[in-house]
Amino acid sequence: MANTFLAALGHAVGRSLCEHDLLPTAREIMAIAKAKGREIVLPVDAVVAKTFTANAPSRVTVRGARGA
C-alpha cells in the first residue's frame, strides 16, 4: 500500500507492487489528510533486490538517495 502513496507523490517504485490505477485516490486521501492537519506516515527506506526470489541479494536504500 505504501508504494501506491509513494508513487502518487512522484517517487519511483520500479517493479514493486503498486496499484497505479489508484494513484488519483491516493492523492485524494493525502489531500483530505492534509486539509484536516493529519499526516500519512510513509516509509523512508526500502529493501531492494534485482529479483523477487528467495535469498536474492538485497540492500536497504533510503528514499531520495542517489542510486536508490
Side-chain angles (χ1 to χ4, degrees), residues 39-51:
E39 177 185 14
I40 296 177
V41 179
L42 296 170
V44 296
D45 60 358
V47 176
V48 297
K50 296 276 184 192
T51 61

Side-chain angles (χ1 to χ4, degrees), residues 1-13 17-31:
M1 181 183 296
N3 286 338
T4 303
F5 283 91
L6 291 171
L9 290 170
H11 296 284
V13 295
L17 295 176
C18 176
E19 297 180 271
H20 293 282
D21 58 320
L22 293 178
L23 295 182
T25 302
R27 290 184 191 108
E28 182 180 342
I29 291 168
M30 289 186 287

